Amino acid sequence: MLSQAQRTTILELHAQGVSQREMARVLRISRPTVGKVLRSNAAQVPEIHRAEKAEPYRERILELFSACKENLVRVHEELVVGGAALSYQALTAFCRKHGIGQAPIVPAGQYHFEPGEEMQHDTSPHEVSLAGKKRKVQTASAVLCYSRMVFFQCSPTFQRFDCKMFLTEALRYFSGAPQRVMIDNTHVVVLHGTGREMVPVPEMAAFGERFGFQFVAHAIGNANRSARVERPFWFIENNFLAGRTFATWEDLNQQARQWCDKVNSTYKKHIRAVPRELFAVERLRLKPLPAWIPEVYRLHQRLVDIEGYVALHTNRYSVPVDWIGRRVEVRETRDKIEIQLDARKMITHVRLAEAEHQRVMLAAHRPPRGQGAQRPDPHPEEKTILAAVPEMADYVAALKQRSHKGATLALRQLLRLVREYPREPLLAAVREAARYGLYDLDRLERMILRRVVRDYFLLDDGSHDD
């Protein structure tokens, strides 16, 4: 089909008296085509009116589109069953042309940010080689919208505690805080609502007030609103993580910081500037950080187990032996685990970044060689029994080994017998039971009862006179 420019040229050459043969040769088209243009005497390209095979089935297509849950494959199958001579390609072309099931195309806009106005924050999972193993990590990123300064760190999880630690490090890296921080409706920050109706968790709102910024969220599905932070994730995955290996979490985040320093000092074609140079302007508009930034921490209440350890995230941290069985407060920070018994007694461990089922013991908590940690008496009932009736020592020792109920339950039942029955019947029954190797405490109790009835409850047989 000839374009409008070609048709205009043919009409102009014809007005100049050029022959059809010459026009066909110059324009490299056929003479019949030149003749058609001259007969139409119009430069506009004529519209082609071609009947669409799907047009007779328009109403049926609209009905089936809704009934088949917008699945065009099922719509075509139902049309064919109904006798329609229509290909699947013709159906999809008809739907595209008439906007059936097609979302209207909306042009992407642009967002302009003043210096210090906004920082965008988001997370994304990535796979890294850590300590010789492939594993997934959570990459948290923050970008200043005006200067495009980027900062990111990796962690095994990303909970509210991790979010506050990351944002604290990001604001320290930028040496100031923006007016607002844009998020993507993450549950870590959001209490309820989305977009402009988003209400942050009080804990996170208080965290923002400490630095002088507010959390805001974009509308669900409006990814363009957070494009400043979304775009660097591709760059991180295909540049920073490509071919790099890391020994520890500290090594990973140290290399990430060095990479950010390098990238922020590199010229960017899409902004035609160096982020570090733009940051020199934006830094003057950022809110200064507080004179004192408290360390982010998470509190736990724990009970010291019988081995002298405190469990936290499957890892176990040692404490002094005399703390066994006592309740302690555990303060978890970025790098430390502080275990406090009271205002004067506190110990500090290096924090393990993830759940590794490891034991961490300080040298001061290790018992001398050849001696195990002193454990509390597992059977306090035995001490009580022997204090009351020391004659039963041999029977108690044998009972602990031969009872079918287990040592603890057996000793508790024997302690009850000691407390409830007189001493003489009890000892007589125990001596007889020991002689026959009887350690069934239910039978022992019946033996005691028989002696109690015989010795303490004499019944009157009515043989004497009144």
Side-chain angles (χ1 to χ4, degrees):
M1 180 181 294
L2 298 182
S3 65
Q4 183 174 348
Q6 290 175 314
R7 297 173 69 88
T8 301
T9 302
I10 291 173
L11 294 178
E12 290 178 354
L13 293 176
H14 179 68
Q16 297 174 9
V18 179
S19 65
Q20 294 186 22
R21 181 188 297 274
E22 185 64 15
M23 286 188 287
R25 185 184 67 80
V26 172
L27 298 177
R28 295 183 180 182
I29 57 178
S30 65
R31 280 185 290 171
T33 302
V34 175
K36 288 181 181 180
V37 175
L38 295 177
R39 286 193 297 273
S40 67
N41 195 28
Q44 297 293 331
V45 179
E47 296 183 2
I48 299 178
H49 298 283
R50 183 181 300 167
E52 295 181 280
K53 293 184 178 180
E55 184 62 34
Y57 310 103
R58 173 188 286 270
E59 297 300 327
R60 181 60 176 161
I61 291 173
L62 294 175
E63 294 176 3
L64 291 174
F65 187 77
S66 177
C68 296
K69 299 181 179 180
E70 303 182 2
N71 189 325
L72 290 180
V73 175
R74 289 288 301 122
V75 172
H76 180 255
E77 292 175 354
E78 294 295 328
L79 288 174
V80 172
V81 171
L86 182 68
S87 67
Y88 177 72
Q89 290 76 10
L91 172 63
T92 55
F94 178 80
C95 292
R96 283 196 300 272
K97 181 177 180 181
H98 296 277
I100 300 175
Q102 303 292 320
I105 299 176
V106 179
Q110 292 184 348
Y111 295 95
H112 177 72
F113 300 97
E114 295 295 331
E117 180 180 359
E118 180 174 300
M119 179 179 77
Q120 295 182 359
H121 161 58
D122 200 1
T123 61
S124 177
H126 290 110
E127 188 177 76
V128 303
S129 178
L130 185 63
K133 296 181 181 179
K134 290 287 186 179
R135 58 157 302 154
K136 284 189 176 181
V137 302
Q138 294 294 327
T139 303
S141 176
V143 177
L144 292 176
C145 294
Y146 175 77
S147 62
R148 312 297 179 91
M149 286 278 289
V150 61
F151 177 79
F152 77 94
Q153 297 277 266
C154 299
S155 60
T157 60
F158 199 77
Q159 302 172 353
R160 200 162 294 149
F161 171 66
D162 305 288
C163 180
K164 291 194 292 184
M165 285 197 304
F166 168 75
L167 290 178
T168 301
E169 290 298 315
L171 296 178
R172 281 174 170 162
Y173 183 81
F174 297 139
S175 302
Q179 298 177 17
R180 61 175 181 262
V181 173
M182 171 65 66
I183 59 172
D184 65 342
N185 299 285
T186 172
H187 70 281
V188 173
V189 177
V190 176
L191 177 63
H192 61 80
T194 59
R196 295 187 178 183
E197 288 74 32
M198 186 275 294
V199 176
V201 176
E203 177 185 350
M204 299 305 294
F207 175 80
E209 291 177 1
R210 177 184 300 164
F211 293 97
F213 68 83
Q214 292 183 341
F215 285 103
V216 295
H218 63 71
I220 294 179
N222 186 13
N224 290 335
R225 180 63 180 84
S226 59
R228 293 285 200 277
V229 72
E230 294 287 353
R231 190 173 186 273
F233 282 126
W234 182 91
F235 191 32
I236 291 171
E237 182 174 4
N238 293 277
N239 186 290
F240 173 70
L241 297 178
R244 282 187 171 91
T245 59
F246 311 98
T248 61
W249 287 102
E250 291 76 12
D251 179 38
L252 168 58
N253 288 323
Q254 182 62 32
Q255 291 193 43
R257 193 184 188 97
Q258 294 173 359
W259 185 84
C260 290
D261 292 339
K262 177 182 177 182
V263 169
N264 292 330
S265 302
T266 305
Y267 178 81
K268 306 297 181 187
K269 292 189 295 184
H270 59 285
I271 61 174
R272 299 180 180 179
V274 177
R276 185 69 68 178
E277 296 176 356
L278 296 178
F279 178 68
V281 177
E282 185 168 27
R283 184 176 182 179
L284 302 177
R285 302 288 186 88
L286 295 175
K287 297 181 180 180
L289 299 178
W292 175 70
I293 301 177
E295 191 173 19
V296 178
Y297 65 89
R298 183 163 49 184
L299 282 180
H300 310 270
Q301 297 294 328
R302 291 291 186 271
L303 197 66
V304 181
D305 63 23
I306 62 174
E307 296 184 6
Y309 288 91
V310 171
L312 184 66
H313 310 316
T314 76
N315 299 314
R316 302 175 69 191
Y317 299 90
S318 67
V319 297
V321 176
D322 56 354
W323 292 15
I324 291 177
R326 305 183 68 177
R327 186 170 296 277
V328 295
E329 184 179 81
V330 182
R331 182 185 294 256
E332 179 185 8
T333 66
R334 182 182 185 89
D335 304 313
K336 299 180 297 182
I337 298 294
E338 297 177 344
I339 306 174
Q340 185 172 2
L341 180 64
D342 53 38
R344 296 181 179 83
K345 297 180 180 179
M346 185 180 72
I347 60 173
T348 303
H349 287 274
V350 176
R351 175 177 177 262
L352 297 179
E354 56 185 324
E356 299 179 356
H357 300 274
Q358 291 189 13
R359 293 190 183 192
V360 181
M361 174 176 281
L362 297 180
H365 304 156
R366 186 177 291 110
R369 180 177 293 275
Q371 298 181 13
Q374 295 181 358
R375 300 185 182 182
D377 186 2
H379 304 301
E381 297 86 355
E382 180 180 3
K383 183 177 180 181
T384 306
I385 293 171
L386 296 180
V389 191
E391 297 88 346
M392 295 176 55
D394 295 338
Y395 187 79
V396 170
L399 178 66
K400 289 167 57 178
Q401 298 180 356
R402 302 181 59 178
S403 175
H404 298 294
K405 294 184 177 181
T408 301
L409 293 179
L411 290 173
R412 287 176 183 175
Q413 185 174 0
L414 183 59
L415 178 60
R416 181 181 61 82
L417 299 180
V418 170
R419 289 172 174 173
E420 293 182 356
Y421 295 108
R423 181 185 182 89
E424 293 304 326
L426 173 67
L427 289 176
V430 168
R431 284 193 293 269
E432 184 179 358
R435 185 166 63 251
Y436 293 105
L438 177 62
Y439 297 98
D440 184 347
L441 296 184
D442 294 331
R443 292 187 61 184
L444 177 64
E445 186 171 12
R446 290 196 292 270
M447 293 167 61
I448 298 172
L449 287 172
R450 285 198 298 268
R451 285 169 170 77
V452 170
V453 170
R454 184 183 62 193
D455 298 338
Y456 292 88
F457 298 95
L458 298 177
L459 298 179
D460 186 2
D461 58 1
S463 59
H464 60 279
D465 295 332
D466 294 339

